[in-house]
């Protein structure tokens, strides 16, 4: 909302969840169904330095449709006292003057600390903190790599509403398992007579009504130790002292490679100069065969601009309206050292 030239009370939602749960799909669905007369802003954070999500979003929605995108790549955006996040957020608010702001932390990020930055005095009048939504794939509750991960549990604890996404793939007991897990780990755990709301969705198809209403997450934040005093917050902070690969000019070699690690995962990604064209059939085949927790990419191919969004369950391909250059990011606990040569084998000669 604009009041006498000032931006005040912008309804703001954090949409969080672990790697590959469908946050991007959910935000794309929400943007597709936003009121035509509203301007929405999306601040998206990525674990890797390459910055793919912005291109994926912009390939679907753009400023002419009232959607403004800004990225914070290179790890948890709450690091370095929230400075990367605050710079990007201030620029986005100034440019978009939005009717609603959506913030997507990386799946390995810390939504509690993001919420703390947003609730500081600087943003108290500017933002109106609405519901925090956490997407969860209930099938992962049997995997200790998730349930023993501090970030996974923090995402559930901070949520006003937990959304069991990919419900079409669940088995008989998965819904109840999620309800039970949230009852034990959510922000209402131990509060007699009050249950944290759990709803279910498929393909990120969530109701925009879930965005409305003040968050209860602030009071929950203040009852927990801040991560800057914790040894468990293990993202690399080196990116706060250097330009990220997403911002550097592409050198004469025609590409930039960047790596990151933290929270038990590694990322590797590449940016390619616009003149490099990929064989769509070959890049389709490569991304389908790579074993990674998460793959996101946008490619300039001999058959148009294509976005790729992949988990271990498969690859989703989307035709994009535009794509200034090819970018791809892989996230896994271990990564194939031959990925670069395999990518270049997909280039049209």
């Amino acid at each position: 909302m604009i009041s006498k030239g000032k931006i005040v009370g912008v309804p703001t939602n954090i949409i969080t969840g672990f790697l590959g749960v469908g946050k991007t799909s959910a935000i794309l669905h929400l943007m597709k169904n936003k009121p035509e007369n509203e301007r929405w802003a999306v601040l998206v954070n990525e674990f890797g330095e390459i910055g793919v999500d912005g291109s994926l979003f912009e390939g679907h929605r753009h400023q002419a449709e009232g959607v403004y995108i800004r990225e914070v790549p290179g790890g948890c955006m709450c690091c370095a006292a929230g400075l990367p996040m605050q710079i990007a957020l201030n620029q986005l608010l100034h440019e978009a003057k939005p009717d609603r702001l959506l913030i997507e932390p990386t799946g390995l990020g810390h939504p509690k600390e993001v919420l703390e930055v947003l609730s500081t005095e600087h943003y108290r009048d500017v933002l109106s903190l609405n519901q925090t939504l956490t997407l969860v794939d209930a099938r992962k509750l049997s995997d200790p790599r998730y349930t023993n991960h501090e970030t996974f549990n923090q995402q559930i604890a901070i949520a006003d509403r937990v959304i069991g996404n990919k419900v079409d793939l669940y088995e008989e007991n998965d819904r109840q398992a999620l309800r039970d897990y949230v009852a034990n780990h959510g922000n209402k755990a131990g509060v007699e007579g009050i249950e944290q709301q759990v709803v279910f969705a498929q393909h990120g198809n969530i109701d925009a009504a879930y965005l409305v209403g003040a968050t209860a997450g602030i009071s929950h934040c203040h009852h927990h130790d801040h991560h800057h005093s914790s040894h468990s917050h293990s993202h690399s902070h080196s990116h706060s002292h250097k330009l990220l690969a997403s911002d550097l000019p592409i050198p004469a070699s025609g590409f930039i490679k960047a790596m990151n690690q933290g929270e038990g995962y590694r990322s590797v990604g590449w940016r390619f100069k616009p003149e490099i064209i990929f064989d769509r059939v070959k890049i389709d085949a490569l991304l389908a065969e790579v074993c990674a927790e998460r793959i996101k990419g946008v490619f300039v191919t001999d058959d148009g601009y294509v976005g790729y969004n992949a988990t271990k369950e498969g690859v989703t391909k989307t035709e994009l309206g535009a794509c200034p250059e090819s970018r791809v990011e892989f996230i896994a606990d271990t990564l194939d050292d031959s990925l670069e040569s395999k990518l270049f084998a997909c280039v049209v000669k």
Side-chain angles (χ1 to χ4, degrees), residues 29-316:
H29 173 79
L30 288 166
M31 291 195 303
K32 181 180 177 182
N33 293 284
K34 80 168 185 65
E36 287 187 14
N37 62 332
E38 288 190 2
R39 297 156 65 96
W40 282 22
V42 181
L43 184 65
V44 57
N45 177 213
E46 293 188 65
F47 180 65
E49 286 193 19
I50 293 297
V52 179
D53 274 336
S55 296
L56 279 173
F57 284 131
E58 287 169 0
H60 290 269
R61 293 286 176 269
H62 47 77
Q63 293 181 16
E65 297 172 288
V67 174
Y68 296 75
I69 315 290
R70 190 168 287 271
E71 290 176 303
V72 185
C76 180
M77 64 182 168
C78 61
C79 294
L83 189 58
M85 172 183 168
Q86 290 179 53
I87 292 171
L89 176 54
N90 294 345
Q91 291 172 339
L92 181 60
L93 289 170
H94 178 75
E95 176 189 18
K97 299 178 177 57
D99 297 290
R100 182 168 295 277
L101 169 66
L102 304 179
I103 296 180
E104 180 195 346
T106 166
L108 294 170
H110 298 74
K112 174 163 63 75
E113 284 73 36
V114 173
L115 194 57
E116 286 175 343
V117 172
L118 298 177
S119 62
T120 58
E121 185 175 353
H122 178 74
Y123 292 113
R124 192 162 297 156
D125 295 330
V126 178
L127 305 178
S128 173
L129 297 180
N130 279 207
Q131 297 278 286
T132 294
L133 309 183
T134 294
L135 277 67
V136 179
D137 183 346
R139 297 171 300 161
K140 305 297 187 181
L141 295 175
S142 59
D143 187 342
R145 292 183 306 163
Y146 291 78
T147 55
N148 290 340
H149 203 292
E150 180 190 5
T151 299
F152 177 83
N153 288 312
Q154 186 189 111
Q155 289 166 347
I156 289 176
I158 205 69
D160 295 296
R161 181 180 274 107
V162 174
I163 298 169
N165 197 29
K166 306 187 179 183
V167 67
D168 50 313
L169 303 176
Y170 289 6
E171 295 184 359
E172 182 179 353
N173 297 322
D174 288 337
R175 287 180 184 240
Q176 191 56 46
L178 180 58
R179 293 188 185 99
D180 293 343
Y181 196 87
V182 171
N184 290 321
H185 295 83
N187 59 32
K188 303 295 193 298
V191 181
E192 187 174 352
I194 301 179
E195 291 187 9
Q196 194 169 358
Q197 187 166 5
V198 179
V199 297
F200 296 91
Q202 61 186 45
H203 309 303
N205 191 339
I206 61 177
D207 192 334
Y210 295 163
L211 299 173
V212 179
T215 182
I218 299 297
S219 58
H220 181 72
C221 283
H222 294 162
H223 288 87
H224 290 76
D225 292 332
H226 194 279
H227 85 281
H228 292 302
S229 62
S230 167
H231 297 293
S232 63
H233 187 71
S234 56
H235 281 316
S236 167
H237 286 216
S238 61
H239 65 271
S240 62
H241 305 294
K242 64 182 180 68
L243 282 175
L244 297 177
S246 58
D247 300 321
L248 292 170
I250 297 178
S253 63
F255 72 97
I256 290 176
K257 177 182 179 181
M259 304 179 74
N260 194 12
Q261 62 181 352
E263 303 293 334
Y265 288 87
R266 296 174 60 206
S267 73
V268 60
W270 290 265
R271 290 175 56 208
F272 301 91
K273 65 181 182 181
E275 294 80 11
I276 293 180
I277 310 298
F278 286 82
D279 183 307
R280 179 162 180 177
V281 173
K282 290 182 179 179
I283 204 70
D284 281 0
L286 173 61
L287 298 185
E289 73 177 25
V290 173
C291 182
E293 195 73 27
R294 202 75 181 86
I295 305 171
K296 287 188 178 183
V298 290
F299 285 90
V300 180
T301 80
D302 56 359
D303 188 28
Y305 306 118
V306 190
Y308 295 86
N309 206 331
T311 66
K312 290 183 177 179
E313 295 162 356
V315 182
T316 300

